[in-house]
Amino acid sequence: MSAWISQFFASYSNIIDLCLLNSLVGYGLFLALSANMFSLATGGFMALGAYCSVYCTMELGFPFAPAVFAGALLAALGAAAIGAPVLRLRGDYFMLATFAFTEVIRVIALNWDSVTGGAIGIFSIPRHTETWHLALAVAVVIYVAYTLRRSYFGRAIAAVKQDDVVAQSMGVNVFMHRLSLFIASGFICGAAGALAAHLNYFIGPGDFGLVRSVDALTYPILGGVNALAGPLIGAIFTTLLPEALRFSNQLREILMGALVVAIVLYLPGGAMSVFKLRWFGVRAGETKLAAATEQAQS
Amino acid sequence: MSTFLQQLVNGISLGSTYAVFAMGCTLIFGVLNIVNMAQGAFFMGGAYFGLEAARLGLPAPLALAVALAGGGLLGMLSELVIFRTLRARGGHRWMGLVASLALARMMIGLAQEIFGTQVQRYPASDLMQISWEIADVRIQLLQVVLLLVSLLLMALLAFVLQRSSIGRAIRTVAFSEDVARIVGVPVGRTILATFFLAGALAGAAGMLLGNLFNVVSPFMGEQMLVKGLTVIILGGLGNVPGAVAGGFLLGLIEVFSVAYVSSSFRDAIGFGLIFVILLVKPNGLFSGFEERRA
Amino acid sequence: MIGVQLEVWKIAKRFQGIVAVDSISFVAAARQVTGLIGPNGSGKTTTMNMITGLYPADAGRITLDGVPLTGSPPHQVAARGVARTFQNIRLLADQSVLANVTLGTHLGHRRSILAVLARLPGVAREEREAEGRCRSLLDELRIGHLAEVLAGNLSYGDRRRVEIARALATRPRLLLLDEPAAGMNHSEKEQLADLIRQIKASGITVLLIEHDIDLVSKVTDHIVCLNFGREIAEGTPAEIRNSPAVIEAYLGRDEAA
Amino acid sequence: MKRSVFALLLSAAGAMAFSSAALSETPVNIGIVQATSGGSAALYGLMQKNGAELAIDEINTSGKLGDYKLVGIHQDDAGDRGQSVNIFQRLINQEKVAVILGPTLATSAFAADPLAQKAGVPVIASSNTAPGITDMGDYIFRTSPPESMVFPGVLAYVKKKYSPKTAAQIYGIDDTLMKSAYAVHKKALESEDIKIVATETFQKGDVDYSAQLTKIKAANPDILVIGGLAEETANIVRQARQLGIPPSTVILGANAAISNKLAELAGATADGFTVGSGWFIQYDSPKNKAFVEAYRKRYSSDPDNFAAQAYTSVYVVADAVKRAGGVSDLKKLRDAIAATKDLEANNGSFSFDAHREPAVTPKVLVMKGGKFILAAD
C-alpha cells in the first residue's frame, strides 16, 4: 500500500502541485472578485513576482523565503501603483485596463533581456518549491479569507460588492477597501508567481499573458465566488480536466469547452452553489441590486 | 516620404480589417452591455466558411456572403446557447464572459478537428497579384478591393442601424430594454438579430484578413479578439462610428510605432496608450459622437 | 447621542445642463424634525444626495454645527454622524436582517485588520457588542423576530424598518429619511410617525423627505417646501398647509398628492 | 472535501491508464511527447509523432529486436509546459518508459527534461534547436541539429555565391526558438563581416508584417534573414516580395522554416528561399527513399525534416537497446545511445558528438518551383 502511495505521488505530484498553485492564484482572484473587480492583471502580477524572486535567488543569492516575499511585495507594489487610477474605472473598463497592464508587463519582459532573458526566458532555476509550501500558502490564504469574511471588513466588502452606495453611506471607504483587496490580490498572485518560478525550472514571458489571467478568473468563477471553497474546487477541476480527458486527444479541447459552458449555464452561481438551496432566488435579487447600483452611479 | 506613404497604406489596409471586426464587438456591447469573447471565434469561423466557399469555386462576392452568413449564424448560436439562457437564469455578467470564452475554445477545437491545425490560404488568383507602384508606393489591387469592401460593410451597417426597422428596434433595445418592451419591440428577436449582425461582421472581417494576409488558421481569432477589444476602448464601448475610427487609428498606431519607434515595442505602445486613454478619457476618444448609454 | 444642526446655504446642482437644484437654503435645527417636501422632481432627493456627499454640490455650502461638510465623500459624511435611508430601499437582499443592520456598526469597529486576523480577544468582544446593540435596535423597532430572515424575503414595511434600523446602528447625529412612508398603508404610516417621534426623543436631528403632507405635518417641527429646484415656502406645519404657493405646487402640478 | 479530491484524482488516473499488456515479448515503452493540438507547435508535433510511430512499426515488423517490442505511448502536451511536466512524471513513474522522445517545444524541454535527468531516463528531442538543451544533463540528447550548427554553412554558401555586403534581420521576439535563432544569425553575419542594416521583430499570431518590411525595404539590404516558424516565414517572404523587395535580395530562413507548408503558403514568391537542414527529402540513399515512400504511403503526404529526425531517433533507440542488451538498466541504455556512431539513417550516417548533439553535415537547400532542392554551387 505504501509503495502504491509513493508511486502515486511520484506520478502525480506535479498535478497536485499545479492544483495547489492554481488554487492559490484562484484565491487571489477570489479576493478581487469579492469586491467586484474582474481583474485581468493576474498575469502581470505573477510575472512581477516570478522575475523578482528569481532575480533574488539567482543573482542576489537570497534564500528562498525572502525571495518569494520580495516577489510578492513587488507585485503588491505594482497593484498599489496601478490600483489608484484603475479602480476609478467601472466594470468592463476596469477589466480592459488591467488587461493592458498585463500586456505591458509581458512586452517589457520580452524586451528586457538582461533581467528576464527575453523570450528565451530563464532556465535552470533551482527547484525550491515543495508541495508543502504550496499547501501552506493555500491554507494561510483560506484562513485569511475565512476570518475576514466574518469580520466587519468582510461585511463592508460584501456591501461594496452588492451596492457600493449603501456601503459608502454606512461609512465604508469603498475606494480604500477595494484598493486593499486589489493589493492583497496582487500580493498573493505575486507569491504564486514566485512559487511557480521555483517549481518548474523555467520561466518565460509566455507564461504570464492573457491566457494565464483568464484561467485564473475561471477558477473562482467556476467554483463559485460566494463560497469559500469555490476557488479550490474550481482550480482542482480546471487543472484535472485536461488530464482526465487525456483519453481522447482529439476531443479534449471541445469537451473542456463544453463542460465549462455546461457548468456556467446550469450552475450560474458556480459549482459550490449546489450546496445552497436558496441560490436561485438570491441570484436574481443580487443582479437587480447590481443593476440598481449601476444606474445610480451613471 | 515614399516610406511614410507606404506605411500609411499599410496602416489603412490593416486598420480596415480591425474596423470591420470591432464594429461587431461594439454593437453587442452597445445593445447588451456585455463583451462577447467568442467574437474572435466567429472571425475564425467566417474565414473558414469563406475559404470552403472559395474552394468550391464560388466567386469572391458569393464567398464573402457565405462568410457573412456563417459568422452570423455562429453569432446567433452563441446568443441562443449561452447569453439567452444566462439572462433567463439571472446569471452574473462574469458568467457570460467565462462561457463565451469556453465557447470560443470549443469552436477552436472543432476547427482543429475539421480543418487541421495548419495554416491554410485562399486559392491564389491572378487578379490578386496585380499591384501598382505610384511614386515608389506599392498598392495592391487586393488592398484597394478590401478597403472598398470594408467601407461598403460600414455603410451597410450604418444604413441598417439608421434606416431599417430592425435597426430602429436595435437602437430602442440599446436605449432601454424596458422601453422597447413597452413600445412593442420584440426584444428577444432583436437581440438575436444583433448577434447575427455582430457575428456576420466578424465573419466578413475573417475572410478579408484571411485574403489580405494569406492566413486562415484555427487560432487566428485569438489575436484579433485582443485587437477588437483595444479598438472598442479607443472608440468607446458601444460606439459604432467610434469603432470604425478606432480601427483605422489602431492600424495606423501599430504601423507607425513599428516605423518610427521599434517593432519590439509595438504592442507596449498600443497597450500603454489604451491604459492612458482609459484613465484620461474612459468613454473613448470619440465619445462626442454618440450619447453614452444611461 | 447629541443631534447636530444642519445648515444648507444656496446649494445648486445641474446634470448635463438640466437644473436639478437651483438654489436651496434651509436649516434643520438640532434635535428637531425638519420636513423637506415638494412634488416629484422638485429636487428633494438631489438635495439629500448633496448633503450625504454622493453628488458634489456645484455651488453653495453645507455645514454641521457650523463645520463645513461640502466636498466630503460619502464615507466621511457618514463618519461625521450623518445616516440615511433610501427612497428605493437598498438592502443586501441575500443577507439576513441582522447582517444588514450590523453593517451600520462599521464605523464603530476600532480594531485593525491585523487584530482581526490574529483573532485578538478584543475583536470578538467588539463583534459581540455590535451584534447585541443591533439586536436590541431591532427589538425597539419591533422586528426582533425577523433578525435571521433574509432581507430579500421581507414585506415592504419591514424593509423600511430594517433600513431605519441600519441607519440608527451608525449612532447618527443627523438622520435623513428619504420618503420612508412610500408604499405604506395607513396603520403602517401611524407606526412610522410614532417611530420618528421616538427617534426625535432620543435626541437625534431628523430631516424627513416626504411626499405625504399629512404625515409630515404630524411629526415635524418645521417644514421646507421645494419646487423646480427652488424653495417656495418655509414655516411651521400649519403655515405650510395654508401657503398658496404650496397648494398650487401640489394641486397644480401633481395629482398624486 | 479531501476525500472527493482524492476520488477525482483516482478517476483521472483510471481514465489515463494505458493497457500495454504485451504477451510473449518484452515491451520497451517509448514515451512520445509531442503536441498535436494547441497552435503552431502542433505543426511540428504531428510530424514527429508520425515519423516516430512509423519507425516503431517498421522495427517491430522487421523483428530485428528479437523479443523486444517497441511500444510507443504518445501524449499530447498541447505545447503547454505544465502539461509536459505532468506527462513526463507519469511516463517515468507509471508507464516506466525506457526513453522519452520530445517534447516539441524547447520551453517545455527546459521545464520537463530535468525530471527525466533526475530519474535517469534518456530523452531524445527531434525538434528542439535552442541552445542549452543538452546542457541540462547527460541523459538529454537531440537529433535536431541546433541552429548554430546549420546557419553558418548556409551563410557561407550565400556569401560565396552573391557576396552580400548588408543584411536585414526579422525574427519572432516572443518565441524561444526564434529569439535564439536570431542570436545565432546575428553572430554568423557579424563573423562574415556582413553589416546588419535593419533589425525588426514580430510576435506570435501576427499576420501583417508590412510595416517591418517597409522599413527593411527602405534600408535596402542585400540579404534578408528571417527567424520564424514555417508559416510565419512563408508570409514574410510573400509580403516582402509583394512590397517590392527585389528578387536580388536573397532571403534566408531558420531551420524551423523547413516545412511543406512554406511552398504552399508563399507560392512562387518563395523561389530562391535558402535554408540549411540536417535532412532533405531528395537525399539520395536507399534508406531515405524507403523512408519517404513508407511515409507517403501511410500518411499520404510528404515528410519534413522533423518527421525525419523523429524517425531517426527511434532507430537510434532501437540500435541502443540492442547494444545495451535490453532496457533493464537505463544507465547502460544511456551509454549505448551516447555511443551511437555511424548508424545508417535517412540522411546518411548518424552519430552523436561528445555533447550529445547530432554530428551531421548540414545541407544547404534552396526553394525552387515549390520544392526544396540541394543548393548547387
Side-chain angles (χ1 to χ4, degrees):
Chain A
M1 186 64 191
S2 76
W4 185 83
I5 289 174
S6 71
Q7 200 211 331
F8 178 85
F9 268 100
S11 304
Y12 294 106
S13 71
N14 189 59
I15 294 181
I16 295 166
D17 290 349
L18 283 183
C19 283
L20 289 168
L21 187 69
N22 289 340
S23 303
L24 187 60
V25 178
Y27 279 101
L29 268 296
F30 179 74
L31 293 185
L33 286 172
S34 67
N36 262 342
M37 294 182 285
F38 195 87
S39 163
L40 287 175
T42 318
F45 293 150
M46 286 185 74
L48 289 176
Y51 283 114
C52 174
S53 66
V54 168
Y55 191 82
C56 288
T57 51
M58 290 178 74
E59 299 290 326
L60 306 178
F62 276 33
F64 182 50
V68 171
F69 186 74
L73 206 60
L74 183 70
L77 283 175
I82 67 161
V86 162
L87 284 170
R88 300 187 192 286
L89 301 169
R90 306 200 66 81
D92 297 289
Y93 291 100
F94 173 83
M95 172 186 94
L96 295 169
T98 50
F99 168 57
F101 165 76
T102 293
E103 282 298 299
V104 169
I105 295 284
R106 190 180 69 87
V107 177
I108 291 173
L110 275 176
N111 284 282
W112 195 5
D113 285 24
S114 56
V115 172
T116 65
I120 294 174
I122 303 170
F123 42 89
S124 308
I125 299 170
R127 184 177 178 137
H128 291 309
T129 306
E130 311 226 2
T131 306
W132 71 266
H133 296 146
L134 293 164
L136 181 69
V138 172
V140 167
V141 173
I142 290 178
Y143 170 79
V144 168
Y146 174 77
T147 312
L148 284 185
R149 268 160 73 97
R150 289 156 35 107
S151 74
Y152 68 93
F153 187 85
R155 272 197 304 274
I157 290 297
V160 169
K161 180 179 181 184
Q162 288 183 36
D163 190 336
D164 54 6
V165 171
V166 165
Q168 290 174 50
S169 304
M170 296 301 129
V172 177
N173 185 342
V174 172
F175 177 77
M176 285 311 290
H177 276 71
R178 295 179 75 201
L179 183 64
S180 52
L181 276 187
F182 192 58
I183 292 173
S185 164
F187 186 89
I188 293 171
C189 293
L195 290 168
H198 291 88
L199 183 69
N200 270 346
Y201 304 99
F202 174 85
I203 51 170
D207 303 340
F208 307 111
L210 177 63
V211 178
R212 181 72 254 186
S213 309
V214 169
D215 283 353
L217 275 171
T218 315
Y219 310 141
I221 289 179
L222 279 187
V225 282
N226 291 323
L228 194 61
L232 189 70
I233 297 298
I236 291 175
F237 175 79
T238 327
T239 313
L240 289 188
L241 197 57
E243 302 300 326
L245 293 178
R246 201 169 276 291
F247 61 87
S248 164
N249 278 336
Q250 311 300 321
L251 297 174
R252 201 151 64 120
E253 288 282 309
I254 302 170
L255 282 174
M256 276 169 65
L259 263 168
V260 171
V261 170
I263 290 183
V264 167
L265 290 184
Y266 293 102
L267 297 170
M272 288 304 288
S273 61
V274 179
F275 303 107
K276 284 193 177 174
L277 294 171
R278 54 187 168 81
W279 62 275
F280 195 79
V282 170
R283 278 276 83 78
E286 183 184 312
T287 326
K288 270 184 215 134
L289 269 175
T293 318
E294 255 160 49
Q295 268 170 20
Q297 291 289 305
S298 58
Chain B
M1 187 60 192
S2 71
T3 306
F4 173 81
L5 288 176
Q6 180 74 62
Q7 297 289 27
L8 200 63
V9 170
N10 297 341
I12 289 172
S13 165
L14 181 63
S16 66
T17 58
Y18 290 171
V20 173
F21 179 75
M23 281 194 300
C25 299
T26 214
L27 192 61
I28 297 268
F29 193 91
V31 175
L32 289 169
N33 229 330
I34 51 166
V35 175
N36 183 358
M37 302 297 254
Q39 284 290 122
F42 308 156
F43 169 85
M44 178 268 297
Y48 275 109
F49 275 111
L51 179 68
E52 288 302 309
R55 283 184 175 163
L56 286 174
L58 292 186
L62 277 180
L64 182 65
V66 171
L68 274 163
L73 286 176
L74 293 176
M76 284 166 69
L77 187 79
S78 75
E79 153 71 359
L80 291 175
V81 174
I82 293 177
F83 293 104
R84 177 164 293 185
T85 323
L86 275 181
R87 275 199 307 277
R89 287 167 188 265
H92 197 282
R93 52 183 310 155
W94 300 335
M95 289 306 197
L97 285 173
V98 172
S100 57
L101 271 170
L103 180 72
R105 189 167 191 174
M106 269 170 79
M107 287 173 60
I108 292 170
L110 209 61
Q112 279 180 271
E113 268 318 292
I114 302 173
F115 304 106
T117 52
Q118 304 191 344
V119 172
Q120 306 194 31
R121 62 172 294 179
Y122 277 84
S125 87
D126 293 336
L127 204 63
M128 290 303 148
Q129 303 300 321
I130 299 173
S131 64
W132 303 282
E133 193 148 341
I134 306 163
D136 234 18
V137 177
R138 272 287 171 128
I139 300 174
Q140 300 167 51
L141 177 62
L142 189 62
Q143 287 174 320
V144 177
V145 171
L146 294 186
L147 183 63
L148 291 177
V149 172
S150 309
L151 294 176
L152 188 74
L153 286 170
M154 290 165 202
L156 211 63
L157 180 70
F159 178 81
V160 168
L161 285 181
Q162 295 300 325
R163 295 290 157 82
S164 73
S165 60
I166 187 77
R168 268 193 297 279
I170 289 175
R171 280 182 295 136
T172 314
V173 175
F175 176 73
S176 156
E177 262 184 54
D178 293 332
V179 170
R181 232 170 246 120
I182 291 164
V183 300
V185 170
V187 173
R189 283 219 306 270
T190 306
I191 291 177
L192 198 59
T194 311
F195 272 94
F196 179 84
L197 280 178
L201 287 168
M207 176 160 167
L208 294 182
L209 182 124
N211 262 299
L212 188 57
F213 299 120
N214 211 22
V215 166
V216 179
S217 94
F219 312 101
M220 66 192 287
E222 292 176 346
Q223 197 187 22
M224 199 56 174
L225 180 67
V226 172
K227 304 287 184 196
L229 294 179
T230 312
V231 169
I232 63 177
I233 299 173
L234 281 174
L237 292 171
N239 181 343
V240 175
V244 173
F248 283 110
L249 188 64
L250 181 66
L252 290 170
I253 289 171
E254 289 195 350
V255 164
F256 283 106
S257 52
V258 169
Y260 297 107
V261 188
S262 155
S263 43
S264 321
F265 284 98
R266 182 194 63 195
D267 289 5
I269 291 168
F271 288 113
L273 200 68
I274 292 302
F275 197 78
V276 173
I277 287 175
L278 278 171
L279 302 184
V280 179
K281 219 169 176 314
N283 293 336
L285 290 176
F286 312 105
S287 48
F289 283 19
E290 197 177 79
E291 202 54 52
R292 205 187 140 211
R293 279 175 58 91
Chain C
M1 268 188 246
I2 298 168
V4 285
Q5 173 156 316
L6 168 75
E7 286 174 44
V8 173
W9 177 248
K10 286 188 175 168
I11 57 167
K13 182 76 196 171
R14 44 180 72 214
F15 294 104
Q16 293 170 343
I18 298 162
V19 178
V21 168
D22 194 2
S23 173
I24 290 177
S25 308
F26 64 88
V27 173
R31 295 177 291 282
Q32 301 266 299
V33 178
T34 304
L36 195 58
I37 63 168
N40 277 333
S42 58
K44 299 181 304 259
T45 298
T46 307
T47 301
M48 173 164 222
N49 284 341
M50 281 193 278
I51 296 170
T52 54
L54 272 180
Y55 302 152
D58 293 343
R61 193 158 41 90
I62 302 167
T63 59
L64 281 186
D65 274 355
V67 183
L69 198 65
T70 332
S72 304
H75 66 272
Q76 282 177 12
V77 174
R80 294 275 302 275
V82 180
R84 69 173 291 181
T85 65
F86 294 89
Q87 184 183 352
N88 52 339
I89 306 171
R90 299 179 99 154
L91 293 173
L92 309 183
D94 68 341
Q95 296 196 12
S96 71
V97 165
L98 183 64
N100 267 284
V101 175
T102 322
L103 177 65
T105 66
H106 182 79
L107 288 164
H109 291 269
R110 295 276 164 240
R111 304 284 168 167
S112 74
I113 292 296
L114 288 179
V116 170
L117 288 178
R119 305 206 166 192
L120 295 183
V123 176
R125 198 172 57 234
E126 225 175 54
E127 282 289 329
R128 272 198 308 278
E129 280 167 12
E131 191 190 319
R133 202 156 59 77
C134 290
R135 281 190 188 279
S136 56
L137 255 177
L138 288 174
D139 289 338
E140 278 173 41
L141 269 68
R142 280 177 275 165
I143 43 175
H145 58 291
L146 298 174
E148 317 301 336
V149 177
L150 288 188
N153 299 344
L154 291 179
S155 75
Y156 201 74
D158 286 338
R159 289 190 206 188
R160 291 265 178 226
R161 284 167 186 275
V162 175
E163 273 228 328
I164 294 172
R166 181 173 68 186
L168 290 173
T170 66
R171 300 182 196 267
R173 299 164 70 197
L174 166 65
L175 177 64
L176 309 178
L177 299 172
D178 194 351
E179 305 211 5
M184 282 189 173
N185 62 30
H186 186 72
S187 73
E188 282 175 328
K189 280 182 187 174
E190 287 297 323
Q191 289 178 6
L192 180 67
D194 284 344
L195 178 59
I196 293 173
R197 287 189 199 102
Q198 247 180 54
I199 294 170
K200 179 190 170 186
S202 69
I204 298 171
T205 311
V206 178
L207 181 63
L208 173 65
I209 293 180
E210 200 30 88
H211 217 67
D212 184 337
I213 298 191
D214 287 332
L215 177 75
V216 177
S217 308
K218 267 184 224 159
V219 297
T220 54
D221 305 291
H222 187 81
I223 296 179
V224 179
C225 181
L226 306 180
N227 200 11
F228 295 118
R230 281 178 169 276
E231 202 185 311
I232 55 168
E234 192 176 347
T236 62
E239 284 165 2
I240 290 294
R241 286 185 89 94
N242 298 320
S243 157
V246 175
I247 293 166
E248 194 204 323
Y250 269 78
L251 296 181
R253 293 292 308 162
D254 192 354
E255 289 160 6
Chain D
M1 165 76 112
K2 202 171 172 189
R3 182 167 297 175
S4 70
V5 173
F6 201 64
L8 261 172
L9 276 170
L10 276 182
S11 62
M16 290 176 292
F18 278 78
S19 55
S20 49
L23 299 172
S24 59
E25 303 112 329
T26 315
V28 175
N29 287 348
I30 299 181
I32 303 172
V33 185
Q34 296 291 356
T36 49
S37 65
S40 54
L43 183 61
Y44 307 103
L46 194 64
M47 281 298 198
Q48 292 175 73
K49 172 178 176 275
N50 287 349
E53 288 178 349
L54 175 66
I56 287 174
D57 287 355
E58 278 180 12
I59 291 165
N60 285 338
T61 319
S62 73
K64 66 192 269 186
L65 280 183
D67 282 347
Y68 293 104
K69 181 173 184 288
L70 301 183
V71 180
I73 302 171
H74 168 248
Q75 298 277 281
D76 172 21
D77 67 359
D80 168 12
R81 221 149 34 73
Q83 293 192 31
S84 318
V85 175
N86 292 345
I87 293 169
F88 266 57
Q89 274 200 333
R90 202 164 50 244
L91 287 175
I92 293 166
N93 294 297
Q94 192 142 328
E95 309 293 341
K96 312 276 186 212
V97 293
V99 59
I100 293 174
L101 306 182
T104 316
L105 297 181
T107 48
S108 307
F110 285 127
D113 286 2
L115 296 180
Q117 171 69 29
K118 205 169 152 196
V121 174
V123 177
I124 307 180
S126 45
S127 60
N128 304 157
T129 57
I133 293 286
T134 53
D135 294 342
M136 274 183 285
D138 57 351
Y139 278 77
I140 316 297
F141 300 82
R142 64 175 151 193
T143 54
S144 41
E147 193 71 23
S148 56
M149 215 177 252
V150 175
F151 189 75
V154 178
L155 192 62
Y157 162 79
V158 169
K159 178 150 195 202
K160 199 170 134 211
K161 191 158 177 190
Y162 304 102
S163 32
K165 301 276 178 297
T166 57
Q169 283 191 273
I170 180 166
Y171 70 98
I173 191 175
D174 59 346
D175 184 306
T176 315
L177 190 55
M178 289 314 141
K179 177 101 188 198
S180 47
Y182 157 75
V184 170
H185 297 167
K186 184 164 182 266
K187 201 173 149 217
L189 288 167
E190 279 163 356
S191 68
E192 291 281 1
D193 256 348
I194 299 172
K195 193 172 169 238
I196 299 166
V197 290
T199 302
E200 295 298 324
T201 63
F202 58 88
Q203 290 205 24
K204 274 190 193 119
D206 281 3
V207 290
D208 179 21
Y209 310 95
S210 58
Q212 291 94 322
L213 291 168
T214 301
K215 251 176 120 177
I216 287 175
K217 186 188 171 196
N220 195 23
D222 295 333
I223 58 172
L224 169 60
V225 183
I226 302 172
L229 303 174
E231 293 160 338
E232 297 160 349
T233 304
N235 275 316
I236 293 171
V237 170
R238 182 175 152 278
Q239 287 179 25
R241 298 302 187 207
Q242 275 171 352
L243 272 169
I245 293 180
S248 61
T249 302
V250 180
I251 303 182
L252 287 68
N255 195 22
I258 300 171
S259 158
N260 306 329
K261 268 282 154 192
L262 189 91
E264 184 194 325
L265 291 175
T269 55
D271 264 10
F273 177 74
T274 308
V275 280
S277 173
W279 173 89
F280 76 108
I281 195 161
Q282 274 89 14
Y283 187 80
D284 195 16
S285 81
K287 178 96 189 162
N288 190 46
K289 283 194 171 133
F291 161 65
V292 172
E293 199 173 306
Y295 191 97
R296 278 182 181 150
K297 197 171 153 209
R298 180 159 166 169
Y299 302 109
S300 3
S301 68
D302 281 352
D304 65 6
N305 57 323
F306 297 107
Q309 283 155 7
Y311 181 86
T312 304
S313 302
V314 175
Y315 274 91
V316 166
V317 172
D319 178 57
V321 168
K322 210 168 172 182
R323 281 186 284 117
V327 290
S328 49
D329 184 353
L330 292 183
K331 172 87 178 63
K332 259 170 97 180
L333 181 66
R334 185 221 84 90
D335 292 344
I337 294 173
T340 301
K341 196 154 176 58
D342 298 331
L343 176 73
E344 194 198 350
N346 46 10
N347 57 350
S349 71
F350 185 90
S351 310
F352 278 117
D353 71 9
H355 293 101
R356 300 169 304 284
E357 305 273 20
V360 293
T361 332
K363 286 108 191 147
V364 180
L365 306 179
V366 177
M367 176 71 81
K368 198 168 178 194
K371 295 250 181 263
F372 281 114
I373 56 166
L374 198 60
D377 300 322

Short mmCIF file of all heavy atoms in Angstrom, two decimals, chain D residues 113-134:
data_model
loop_
_atom_site.label_atom_id
_atom_site.label_comp_id
_atom_site.label_asym_id
_atom_site.label_seq_id
_atom_site.Cartn_x
_atom_site.Cartn_y
_atom_site.Cartn_z
N ASP D 113 12.59 18.24 -19.02
CA ASP D 113 13.79 17.40 -19.12
C ASP D 113 14.51 17.18 -17.79
O ASP D 113 15.00 16.07 -17.54
CB ASP D 113 14.76 17.97 -20.16
CG ASP D 113 14.28 17.74 -21.59
OD1 ASP D 113 13.18 17.16 -21.75
OD2 ASP D 113 14.97 18.13 -22.54
N PRO D 114 14.59 18.20 -16.91
CA PRO D 114 15.29 17.95 -15.65
C PRO D 114 14.68 16.78 -14.85
O PRO D 114 15.40 16.09 -14.13
CB PRO D 114 15.12 19.28 -14.89
CG PRO D 114 15.00 20.30 -15.95
CD PRO D 114 14.24 19.63 -17.05
N LEU D 115 13.38 16.53 -15.00
CA LEU D 115 12.76 15.40 -14.30
C LEU D 115 13.35 14.09 -14.79
O LEU D 115 13.66 13.19 -14.01
CB LEU D 115 11.25 15.38 -14.55
CG LEU D 115 10.42 16.54 -14.04
CD1 LEU D 115 8.96 16.31 -14.39
CD2 LEU D 115 10.58 16.66 -12.54
N ALA D 116 13.47 14.00 -16.12
CA ALA D 116 14.00 12.77 -16.72
C ALA D 116 15.46 12.60 -16.34
O ALA D 116 15.92 11.50 -16.02
CB ALA D 116 13.82 12.81 -18.23
N GLN D 117 16.18 13.72 -16.35
CA GLN D 117 17.59 13.69 -15.99
C GLN D 117 17.74 13.16 -14.56
O GLN D 117 18.56 12.28 -14.29
CB GLN D 117 18.16 15.11 -16.10
CG GLN D 117 19.56 15.28 -15.55
CD GLN D 117 20.60 14.56 -16.40
OE1 GLN D 117 20.42 14.40 -17.61
NE2 GLN D 117 21.68 14.10 -15.77
N LYS D 118 16.90 13.66 -13.67
CA LYS D 118 16.97 13.25 -12.27
C LYS D 118 16.61 11.77 -12.11
O LYS D 118 17.22 11.06 -11.32
CB LYS D 118 15.99 14.12 -11.46
CG LYS D 118 16.36 14.25 -10.01
CD LYS D 118 15.49 15.33 -9.36
CE LYS D 118 15.31 15.06 -7.89
NZ LYS D 118 14.20 15.84 -7.35
N ALA D 119 15.61 11.34 -12.89
CA ALA D 119 15.16 9.95 -12.78
C ALA D 119 16.05 9.00 -13.57
O ALA D 119 15.89 7.79 -13.49
CB ALA D 119 13.72 9.84 -13.27
N GLY D 120 16.96 9.57 -14.38
CA GLY D 120 17.83 8.73 -15.17
C GLY D 120 17.13 8.07 -16.34
O GLY D 120 17.38 6.91 -16.63
N VAL D 121 16.25 8.79 -16.98
CA VAL D 121 15.58 8.29 -18.19
C VAL D 121 16.05 9.13 -19.37
O VAL D 121 15.93 10.35 -19.35
CB VAL D 121 14.04 8.39 -18.05
CG1 VAL D 121 13.36 8.00 -19.35
CG2 VAL D 121 13.55 7.53 -16.91
N PRO D 122 16.61 8.51 -20.39
CA PRO D 122 17.11 9.29 -21.53
C PRO D 122 15.98 10.01 -22.28
O PRO D 122 14.87 9.49 -22.38
CB PRO D 122 17.76 8.25 -22.44
CG PRO D 122 17.95 7.04 -21.59
CD PRO D 122 16.89 7.07 -20.55
N VAL D 123 16.30 11.21 -22.76
CA VAL D 123 15.35 11.99 -23.56
C VAL D 123 16.02 12.29 -24.89
O VAL D 123 17.18 12.70 -24.92
CB VAL D 123 15.00 13.32 -22.87
CG1 VAL D 123 14.07 14.16 -23.74
CG2 VAL D 123 14.36 13.08 -21.51
N ILE D 124 15.31 12.05 -25.98
CA ILE D 124 15.86 12.43 -27.29
C ILE D 124 14.88 13.38 -27.96
O ILE D 124 13.74 13.02 -28.24
CB ILE D 124 16.08 11.21 -28.20
CG1 ILE D 124 16.93 10.15 -27.47
CG2 ILE D 124 16.74 11.63 -29.50
CD1 ILE D 124 17.19 8.92 -28.31
N ALA D 125 15.33 14.61 -28.16
CA ALA D 125 14.49 15.61 -28.80
C ALA D 125 14.74 15.58 -30.30
O ALA D 125 15.86 15.30 -30.74
CB ALA D 125 14.79 16.99 -28.25
N SER D 126 13.70 15.85 -31.08
CA SER D 126 13.93 15.91 -32.51
C SER D 126 13.44 17.22 -33.11
O SER D 126 13.36 17.37 -34.31
CB SER D 126 13.27 14.71 -33.20
OG SER D 126 11.98 14.51 -32.70
N SER D 127 13.05 18.19 -32.26
CA SER D 127 12.71 19.50 -32.80
C SER D 127 13.25 20.65 -31.97
O SER D 127 13.07 21.80 -32.31
CB SER D 127 11.19 19.64 -32.93
OG SER D 127 10.58 19.50 -31.67
N ASN D 128 13.91 20.36 -30.85
CA ASN D 128 14.47 21.44 -30.04
C ASN D 128 15.78 21.89 -30.67
O ASN D 128 16.74 21.13 -30.73
CB ASN D 128 14.76 20.98 -28.60
CG ASN D 128 13.55 20.40 -27.89
OD1 ASN D 128 13.68 19.64 -26.96
ND2 ASN D 128 12.36 20.75 -28.36
N THR D 129 15.80 23.12 -31.15
CA THR D 129 17.05 23.60 -31.74
C THR D 129 17.63 24.77 -30.95
O THR D 129 18.58 25.38 -31.39
CB THR D 129 16.84 24.02 -33.21
OG1 THR D 129 15.82 25.00 -33.26
CG2 THR D 129 16.43 22.84 -34.06
N ALA D 130 17.03 25.08 -29.79
CA ALA D 130 17.54 26.19 -28.98
C ALA D 130 18.85 25.78 -28.31
O ALA D 130 19.08 24.60 -28.06
CB ALA D 130 16.51 26.55 -27.92
N PRO D 131 19.71 26.75 -28.01
CA PRO D 131 20.94 26.40 -27.30
C PRO D 131 20.63 25.99 -25.87
O PRO D 131 19.61 26.39 -25.31
CB PRO D 131 21.75 27.72 -27.34
CG PRO D 131 20.75 28.78 -27.56
CD PRO D 131 19.62 28.17 -28.32
N GLY D 132 21.50 25.20 -25.30
CA GLY D 132 21.35 24.88 -23.89
C GLY D 132 20.53 23.64 -23.59
O GLY D 132 20.41 23.24 -22.44
N ILE D 133 19.95 23.03 -24.60
CA ILE D 133 19.10 21.86 -24.35
C ILE D 133 19.92 20.72 -23.75
O ILE D 133 19.60 20.20 -22.68
CB ILE D 133 18.41 21.39 -25.65
CG1 ILE D 133 17.40 22.43 -26.14
CG2 ILE D 133 17.74 20.03 -25.46
CD1 ILE D 133 16.13 22.49 -25.36
N THR D 134 21.00 20.37 -24.43
CA THR D 134 21.76 19.22 -23.95
C THR D 134 22.62 19.57 -22.73
O THR D 134 23.14 18.67 -22.07
CB THR D 134 22.66 18.65 -25.06
OG1 THR D 134 23.46 19.71 -25.58
CG2 THR D 134 21.84 18.06 -26.18
#
